[in-house]
Amino acid sequence: MDGGPTVLNAIVGQAPVGYYDQSDQLVVDRNPALRTGWDQVVDAVKANLSAGLLYSTPTWNTGFTQGQFATVTCPAWMMTKIKDQAPDTAGKWDVATVPGGGGNWGGSYLTVPKQGKHTKEAADLAAWLTAPEQQAKVFTSQGLLPSTPSLYDDPKITGYTNPFFNNAPVGKLFTDAAKKLNPQYQGPKAGDVQTEFGNAMQRVEQGKQDGAAAWQQLVGDVAKLK
């Protein structure tokens, strides 16, 4: 795998409860799903199954072209990243359903600043960009999974295969996962907590701490984010 933090982030995203409960209380130290996922990735690192590369860094980008890892956690939008980083690897990749079921890994919003000079036109553009017709085109060209659930039964989406990824049935794979997804509540500083998880796992990969010590420091570092 490319790196422990990437896989750990995916495992956290599969859990019914993540870093926070729905009252915005941090539950990192008492959420068994997080510790189970942590231990699982630590075991993989100890078994030399990780290339030790941090997601979206220059060394991670180079890892694609140099074949430094055999698998990477792949949200729908990751397909374009892989294609951009390693265009000469067409047909050498495939896409499969992730073990443990689907999970959420971020997303995007379009906003219109109130102080803009053309707010109505901007809002109209945002509405057009996010209309089902455009979402379908963006998925088949750029791999961004539509946020409109009605498209998950559209043959143009479900029947789409990606030639770069060995003609994997990515339309069906990602829409099936989306249909089964149970949304996880995101707390106010979930992004910061995710960063701390990545930092802690890096310390394990770099041999600076063992899994238990890194977890103990992680829990303390996260508590300071309140």
Side-chain angles (χ1 to χ4, degrees):
M1 62 191 185
D2 57 332
T6 312
V7 177
L8 180 59
N9 184 60
I11 293 174
V12 171
Q14 293 173 323
V17 178
Y19 305 130
Y20 287 86
D21 63 20
Q22 294 198 22
S23 62
D24 286 338
Q25 297 299 307
L26 281 163
V27 294
V28 171
D29 60 338
R30 57 183 187 276
N31 184 348
L34 301 188
R35 184 58 192 265
T36 298
W38 170 270
D39 290 342
Q40 186 176 5
V41 177
V42 167
D43 287 344
V45 170
K46 289 166 60 178
N48 295 319
L49 297 178
S50 172
L53 302 176
L54 185 61
Y55 163 77
S56 208
T57 59
T59 54
W60 182 81
N61 294 337
T62 302
F64 281 103
T65 59
Q66 295 184 350
Q68 294 181 14
F69 47 88
T71 184
V72 60
T73 307
C74 185
W77 47 263
M78 184 72 80
M79 293 188 293
T80 297
K81 266 188 175 291
I82 295 171
K83 185 177 179 179
D84 288 346
Q85 295 303 328
D88 295 334
T89 61
K92 297 181 179 180
W93 294 91
D94 209 332
V95 182
T97 301
V98 65
N104 177 48
W105 190 343
S108 302
Y109 297 89
L110 297 178
T111 61
V112 177
K114 185 186 295 186
Q115 66 271 30
K117 294 182 179 179
H118 304 285
T119 55
K120 181 184 182 304
E121 290 83 355
D124 289 343
L125 175 60
W128 181 85
L129 289 170
T130 55
E133 294 80 5
Q134 278 61 255
Q135 289 193 20
K137 293 175 183 177
V138 170
F139 176 69
T140 55
S141 63
Q142 299 298 323
L144 303 182
L145 187 67
S147 59
T148 304
S150 61
L151 289 175
Y152 300 161
D153 294 312
D154 187 326
K156 292 193 298 292
I157 301 296
T158 59
Y160 175 66
T161 60
N162 193 314
F164 187 91
F165 293 92
N166 203 29
N167 289 313
V170 295
K172 180 170 174 52
L173 288 172
F174 286 112
T175 55
D176 282 354
K179 288 178 182 179
K180 299 174 184 176
L181 179 66
N182 293 314
Q184 182 191 96
Y185 180 76
Q186 300 291 296
K189 294 186 177 181
D192 294 331
V193 179
Q194 178 181 325
T195 298
E196 293 296 344
F197 264 70
N199 292 341
M201 186 55 67
Q202 271 198 295
R203 294 195 296 272
V204 176
E205 289 188 316
Q206 294 168 357
K208 296 178 179 179
Q209 290 179 314
D210 62 19
W215 175 265
Q216 185 175 7
Q217 181 179 332
L218 169 63
V219 171
D221 290 343
V222 167
K224 297 173 185 176
L225 295 174
K226 293 182 179 179

